[in-house]
């Protein structure tokens, strides 16, 4: 493992033990053979449709999956396996989380005190509230008194009170103005440039392209392509996987062109390529094993990609 590697997810599988009917239990696999790395000074943006498993990746890294979840594979932080004991040591200081839901805020604690947490100071809290355009009066408010955008800014401020080595940000920009969202991502860029790594889960692809180094494309519980941001900016011809190409074409500023079909349900996954039923280039090879492979400076899970 390279010494610059901060986060490494190796062949992660996540399943949920669930009842099927009244008496029969089954394991529903929702994340499959997922591997990803985030290095020092790097922002890796995770994109894909809703329900593709993006947030489950964040929760698996942070140990926040529910009790009926089962995981396989390994997760490393700075070369060391990220066990429960290691998480207790580093979460909140070296690894910080910006959750998707503002319900993570404690409803009975004033937000200024929440943002400070255990380790930071009031001076640092005031500095960051000012940076994120939160009036001084906000620190004496309770979460129910905040607008959605204000609550989002409090969550972001809370996460960067310390000097984190890894930020896991799950949809940090909804509810923010374009300017504030861009300022938030630029702050992540500054933190990364100073030696941290950022795993950025987002639907705001256009904003992510301004700050990310790599883009990981999720589909039906796994990563189908990892490419440089430059490849995404160049357009679909620079990409490798047919879903990535379709994803780019569906953006409003491009062709805004949908494709037929839908993402398969986790309990009814086809054999071989999970995108095969929607792919214009499907062949017999697509129904066998589809490993992730290196191609043109990126990685792709497709046997026909060139």
């Amino acid at each position: 493992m390279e010494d610059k590697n901060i986060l490494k997810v190796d062949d992660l599988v996540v399943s949920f033990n669930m009842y099927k009917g009244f008496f029969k239990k089954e394991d529903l696999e929702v994340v499959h053979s997922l591997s990803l790395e985030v290095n020092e000074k790097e922002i890796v943006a995770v994109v894909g449709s809703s329900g593709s498993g993006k947030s489950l990746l964040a929760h698996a890294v942070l140990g926040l999956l529910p009790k009926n979840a089962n995981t396989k594979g390994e997760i490393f932080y700075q070369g060391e396996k990220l066990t429960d004991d290691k998480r207790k040591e580093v979460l909140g200081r070296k690894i910080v989380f910006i959750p998707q839901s503002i319900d993570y805020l404690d409803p009975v604690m004033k937000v200024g005190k929440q943002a400070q947490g255990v380790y930071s100071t009031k001076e640092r809290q005031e500095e960051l509230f000012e940076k994120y355009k939160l009036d001084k009066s906000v620190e004496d408010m309770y979460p129910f008194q905040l607008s959605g955008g204000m609550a989002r800014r409090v969550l972001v401020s809370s996460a960067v009170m310390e000097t984190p080595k890894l930020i896991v940000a799950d949809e940090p920009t909804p509810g923010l103005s374009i300017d504030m969202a861009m300022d938030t991502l630029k702050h992540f860029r500054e933190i990364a440039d100073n030696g941290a790594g950022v795993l950025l889960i987002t639907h705001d692809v256009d904003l992510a392209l301004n700050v990310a180094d790599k883009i990981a494309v999720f589909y039906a519980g796994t990563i189908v392509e990892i490419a440089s941001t430059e490849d995404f900016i160049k357009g679909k011809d620079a990409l490798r996987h047919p879903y990535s190409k379709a994803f780019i074409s569906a953006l409003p500023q491009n062709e805004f062109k949908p494709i037929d079909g839908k993402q398969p349900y986790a309990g009814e996954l086809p054999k071989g390529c999970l995108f095969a039923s929607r792919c214009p280039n499907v062949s017999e090879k697509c129904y066998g094993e589809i490993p992730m492979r290196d191609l043109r400076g990126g990685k792709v899970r497709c046997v026909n990609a060139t």
Side-chain angles (χ1 to χ4, degrees):
M1 184 174 296
E2 297 179 11
D3 58 5
K4 68 176 182 177
N5 189 255
I6 293 179
L7 175 69
K8 181 175 182 180
V9 179
D10 188 16
D11 202 24
L12 177 67
V13 176
V14 177
S15 61
F16 290 98
N17 195 241
M18 303 174 66
Y19 279 99
K20 187 176 183 180
F22 289 104
F23 304 107
K24 185 180 178 182
K25 273 191 171 183
E26 68 173 4
D27 273 335
L28 182 67
E29 188 174 300
V30 292
V31 172
H32 336 283
S33 302
L34 192 156
S35 296
L36 181 70
E37 295 182 8
V38 180
N39 294 321
E40 285 184 353
K41 299 187 176 185
E42 186 174 70
I43 297 178
V44 177
V46 173
V47 303
S49 60
S50 296
S52 59
K54 303 185 299 297
S55 292
L56 287 174
L57 167 62
H59 290 181
V61 169
L62 296 155
L64 297 177
L65 293 171
K67 291 183 178 180
N68 68 326
N70 302 300
T71 61
K72 298 178 183 177
E74 294 181 309
I75 300 173
F76 297 90
Y77 168 69
Q78 291 193 310
E80 184 177 346
K81 191 169 181 181
L82 193 55
T83 62
D84 288 341
D85 286 342
K86 186 64 177 177
R87 285 190 181 95
K88 290 177 183 177
E89 177 188 333
V90 298
L91 286 183
R93 300 193 73 179
K94 295 301 179 184
I95 300 178
V96 298
F97 178 42
I98 302 173
Q100 181 174 158
S101 173
I102 60 176
D103 291 339
Y104 275 77
L105 289 170
D106 187 334
V108 297
M109 183 184 289
K110 291 181 178 180
V111 296
K113 194 65 177 176
Q114 284 192 62
Q116 289 174 42
V118 177
Y119 308 109
S120 195
T121 65
K122 186 170 181 10
E123 290 73 23
R124 177 63 173 161
Q125 172 255 303
E126 290 176 344
E127 175 190 343
L128 283 170
F129 272 28
E130 183 178 355
K131 179 179 181 67
Y132 283 97
K133 297 181 172 57
L134 291 165
D135 189 85
K136 186 168 174 57
S137 62
V138 172
E139 64 186 41
D140 290 321
M141 292 181 179
Y142 290 94
F144 78 90
Q145 295 175 294
L146 305 178
S147 68
M150 291 165 67
R152 183 74 58 192
R153 283 176 276 160
V154 169
L155 285 170
V156 174
S157 300
S158 303
V160 297
M161 285 285 161
E162 294 292 302
T163 307
K165 195 66 179 173
L166 173 67
I167 296 175
V168 180
D170 189 1
E171 298 287 0
T173 56
L176 302 183
S177 67
I178 292 294
D179 289 343
M180 180 54 65
M182 198 63 244
D183 285 346
T184 300
L185 295 186
K186 286 179 179 178
H187 191 194
F188 291 170
R189 183 70 265 170
E190 291 172 12
I191 294 170
D193 288 342
N194 286 325
V198 180
L199 181 64
L200 173 63
I201 297 167
T202 183
H203 280 101
D204 289 333
V205 182
D206 291 338
L207 293 181
L209 293 178
N210 287 280
V211 297
D213 299 287
K214 294 177 184 175
I215 310 289
V217 182
F218 268 54
Y219 185 79
T222 196
I223 295 174
V224 295
E225 180 167 357
I226 301 174
S228 68
T229 302
E230 287 78 7
D231 285 350
F232 273 80
I233 292 172
K234 289 175 185 175
K236 62 182 182 180
D237 291 340
L239 298 175
R240 300 149 189 81
H241 197 281
Y243 176 68
S244 302
K245 296 173 184 285
F247 186 83
I248 287 293
S249 293
L251 294 178
Q253 70 272 29
N254 295 329
E255 300 172 32
F256 209 13
K257 182 180 178 183
I259 56 174
D260 293 333
K262 61 182 180 180
Q263 185 173 256
Y265 169 61
E268 300 172 351
L269 295 178
K271 290 184 177 180
C273 177
L274 301 177
F275 188 65
S277 64
R278 309 174 72 186
C279 181
N281 305 319
V282 65
S283 68
E284 195 65 33
K285 295 185 294 182
C286 300
Y287 298 101
E289 185 177 355
I290 315 292
M292 198 72 146
R293 62 189 177 95
D294 295 330
L295 180 66
R296 290 192 282 112
K299 293 180 180 292
V300 66
R301 193 182 297 276
C302 177
V303 293
N304 293 321
T306 57

